[in-house]
Amino acid sequence: MAYLNASERGQLLDELSGMKFGRAKSKLSRMDPDGRLAYYRNAQQSGEWHTRFVLDGLGTIVTLVEVNHAKNDQPRNKQRFEFVNIIVEPTPANNS
């Protein structure tokens, strides 16, 4: 499978930006048979939750960024995440 170049990564970003979180996550998990979920809703930055997919066969890393609007005293099953950003970047092996 060929690596995605900059314009193809831009097209992927445009395609994912019109989707809700669950649909984007589903598309990324089915997109590359060599791909993997690196982490799911991990607090990489203060106030943001990141979900990262490493698509090794496509030479691309996709990070889905969410913000949690729940109050601190709410139960875990009442959390409200808002899908706010997508980061698409090449892997170190992708030179295109």
Side-chain angles (χ1 to χ4, degrees):
M1 198 176 269
Y3 287 161
L4 297 181
N5 60 26
S7 65
E8 291 170 333
R9 287 191 303 270
Q11 289 173 356
L12 176 62
L13 176 64
D14 292 339
E15 186 178 342
L16 293 174
S17 64
M19 297 181 182
K20 292 185 177 185
F21 177 78
R23 186 155 170 96
K25 188 171 72 104
S26 175
K27 178 174 178 55
L28 290 170
S29 66
R30 291 180 284 115
M31 196 170 189
D32 182 15
D34 294 331
R36 60 187 167 85
L37 177 65
Y39 45 82
Y40 177 72
R41 286 190 175 156
N42 194 338
Q44 293 292 319
Q45 295 179 3
S46 178
E48 292 183 353
W49 298 81
H50 292 200
T51 300
R52 177 170 281 185
F53 286 89
V54 179
L55 307 175
D56 289 326
L58 299 175
T60 305
I61 299 172
V62 181
T63 306
L64 307 175
V65 181
E66 296 176 288
V67 175
N68 189 355
H69 293 292
K71 294 182 173 54
N72 287 337
D73 61 344
Q74 283 185 326
R76 183 173 173 86
N77 62 348
K78 300 288 183 184
Q79 302 296 309
R80 294 185 339 209
F81 291 98
E82 180 186 0
F83 186 32
V84 294
N85 194 13
I86 303 166
I87 303 167
V88 179
E89 53 196 2
T91 58
N94 187 354
N95 296 329
S96 58

